Amino acid sequence: MPSSTVEQYIKIIYTQQEHLGRSVVPMKRLSEAMGVTPGTATTMVKHLDDVKLVSYHPRQGVLLTTKGENLALRMLRRHRLIETFLEQVLGYDWSEVHTDAERLEHAVSDRFIDKLEQYLGYPDVDPHGDPIPSSSGSIESAISVPLNACGADRRVRIVRLLDDDPEFLVCMKSYLIFPGQEFILKNSSAITGTVTLEHSDTLKPVTIGYDAAGRILVSER
Amino acid sequence: MPSSTVEQYIKIIYTQQEHLGRSVVPMKRLSEAMGVTPGTATTMVKHLDDVKLVSYHPRQGVLLTTKGENLALRMLRRHRLIETFLEQVLGYDWSEVHTDAERLEHAVSDRFIDKLEQYLGYPDVDPHGDPIPSSSGSIESAISVPLNACGADRRVRIVRLLDDDPEFLVCMKSYLIFPGQEFILKNSSAITGTVTLEHSDTLKPVTIGYDAAGRILVSER
DNA sequence: GCTACGTATTTGACTAGTCAAAATATAGTA
DNA sequence: TACTATATTTTGACTAGTCAAATACGTAGC
Ligand SMILES: [Mn+2]
Ligand SMILES: [Mn+2]
Ligand SMILES: [Mn+2]
Ligand SMILES: [Mn+2]
């Protein structure tokens, strides 16, 4: 049975691998994401390689094995089902769910997660639009593009937000930017570095920065 | 912030103190309840004394301070609210709730517990009839007596079971022995060491051993 | 008062996870 | 090619929690 520390490393390696596109995750990246010193990450990664959860390429980086990927998906499943529960059932704000899920994910049993999933009615995404892996480990994300890579005058539907920062989330919610909401993309200017949207119901205009828009995934329609 | 290990020691010291009646809990007792060697318990208890959670009386035993008692009640509150949730909401059998609660209680935040309590409608006992301490730390248990200390031909209502063993609980449930059920106490014999009950609705008779009956608390009426 | 036995404490060793700081490799630049 | 900046690895040390086994108490019985 993996310790919560191991679980956390594996989950972070997965998300970093996904985020980097490239396959190997360098130690600096990993240590920063884990909040530990680089030396600590190196030591741990060697151990993870020993137990076949990752393959370690000295001086280059680390890569999940299939076994590691399975564990990562199980952790993501736990994390996202718990977040969904906290928001939909216990009434947390979506900016608060992440912190608590971060601890709970390491304390729940498989029985708990399977019953929770059933109780929630088999949701396929969490409050941030992150897809929830099935118990068999399959995961499918809706097709989407970053908001800053979208053509102007398009009608878009918010699909997912790639940021856990509570401040960011509170702010987005106040603009009605959360999964399911629809907007018209009025203007997207690489020169000024802004993206302007108009909510399809309220018609309220919102302007956000280019990099923030990069963390918002939408589907064009 | 106390570690989960510290939380567990404190909770166990509380329940042992309650169970022994006497105030100090000897090391042997504590180490057995914790599943560690006596030496380990001694070391830990000295540390708990340093941080003022217990007062340690060498070669006699250990005793919670007020600070320790507060922590213990917070843990009991968590444990019992979680057990209630697992049974009533997620549909666990009452024999399964204990194990999962044992881990979760160390991973939940105060926010979680308070929202959970609200969601559950402020229950005052858990599935085993154990009273749930309030957020301010007050706890009140219904007046009750052990079933083996009851006069015969009395009508009794099951209040609480003092045993976590899944096998015992599954068995009791099959006899309808769980909080709220009513029985007529037909016979209680110290000689044969048995207690015979009859369910007040189904009229089905049940005979259980004297010591098992000691772990069943009832209210006479 | 002395002995035995059971309980309690001490000691030394081990594991998982961590940091600080020194040593080393690598890749880019002059 | 030689130098330098940066990433990486190594080393030694530390903490929390644990066990096994040696040692020390304390009390009940003789
Ligand atoms: Mn985590
Ligand atoms: Mn999420
Ligand atoms: Mn516990
Ligand atoms: Mn209980």
Side-chain angles (χ1 to χ4, degrees), chain B residues 26-28 42 46 56 59:
Chain B
M27 287 333 225
K28 179 138 190 271
T42 302
K46 283 198 217 163
Y56 167 48
R59 311 219 100 98

Side-chain angles (χ1 to χ4, degrees), chain A residues 14-15 18 76 80 94 125-131 139-142 144-147 157-163 168 177-180 213-219:
Chain A
Y14 182 97
T15 52
E18 198 178 38
L76 251 23
R80 292 172 183 173
W94 80 331
V125 293
D126 79 3
H128 314 106
D130 303 318
I139 184 171
E140 50 199 283
S141 29
S144 60
V145 290
L147 184 54
R157 177 195 287 267
I158 311 291
V159 166
R160 182 176 179 187
L161 281 87
L162 300 173
D163 196 324
F168 177 74
I177 298 180
F178 58 85
R215 277 167 273 140
I216 299 170
L217 303 187
V218 301
S219 67

Side-chain angles (χ1 to χ4, degrees), chain A:
Chain A
M1 207 73 336
S3 68
S4 9
T5 311
V6 166
E7 289 178 345
Q8 189 68 15
Y9 272 93
I10 294 300
K11 200 187 66 179
I12 296 284
I13 294 169
Y14 182 97
T15 52
Q16 289 299 318
Q17 222 172 290
E18 198 178 38
H19 192 274
L20 286 170
R22 194 172 17 127
S23 54
V24 304
V25 179
M27 287 334 231
K28 177 137 190 274
R29 194 72 190 239
L30 176 56
S31 63
E32 273 165 8
M34 277 298 300
V36 298
T37 61
T40 301
T42 301
T43 313
M44 180 47 116
V45 157
K46 283 198 216 163
H47 169 245
L48 295 177
D49 185 285
D50 286 347
V51 299
K52 306 270 183 265
L53 283 165
V54 306
S55 82
Y56 168 49
H57 301 276
R59 309 236 150 220
Q60 303 195 205
V62 67
L63 177 71
L64 290 182
T65 61
T66 303
K67 189 180 164 199
E69 217 166 280
N70 290 338
L71 177 54
L73 287 168
R74 241 178 69 222
M75 295 315 297
L76 251 23
R77 171 173 161 79
R78 292 172 180 209
H79 187 96
R80 292 172 183 173
L81 282 169
I82 292 167
E83 283 190 345
T84 307
F85 167 72
L86 294 178
E87 200 216 27
Q88 293 191 353
V89 180
L90 293 194
Y92 277 53
D93 186 84
W94 80 331
S95 66
E96 304 171 326
V97 299
H98 183 74
T99 333
D100 276 25
E102 206 53 50
R103 299 204 66 207
L104 282 165
E105 65 189 5
H106 307 289
V108 297
S109 64
D110 285 342
R111 176 196 277 137
F112 181 98
I113 282 300
D114 293 347
K115 299 233 184 202
L116 185 65
E117 181 182 36
Q118 181 181 15
Y119 182 70
L120 294 173
Y122 300 91
D124 39 40
V125 293
D126 79 3
H128 314 106
D130 303 318
I132 300 175
S134 74
S135 60
S136 63
S138 68
I139 184 171
E140 50 199 283
S141 29
I143 30 167
S144 60
V145 290
L147 184 54
N148 65 5
C150 248
D153 280 315
R154 277 291 185 65
R155 194 181 176 84
V156 298
R157 177 195 287 267
I158 311 291
V159 166
R160 182 176 179 187
L161 281 87
L162 300 173
D163 196 324
D164 288 321
D165 179 37
E167 288 213 48
F168 177 74
L169 292 174
V170 165
C171 178
M172 290 304 111
K173 188 69 157 259
S174 76
Y175 296 148
L176 298 178
I177 298 180
F178 58 85
Q181 296 295 301
E182 299 202 348
F183 290 84
I184 319 288
L185 206 167
K186 291 312 232 188
N187 185 277
S188 179
S189 151
I191 303 111
T192 62
T194 58
V195 172
T196 305
L197 307 169
E198 185 183 278
H199 190 269
S200 63
D201 292 348
T202 69
L203 302 182
K204 262 215 188 131
V206 187
T207 302
I208 61 177
Y210 223 63
D211 52 344
R215 277 167 273 140
I216 299 170
L217 303 187
V218 301
S219 67
E220 299 175 290
R221 21 203 17 247

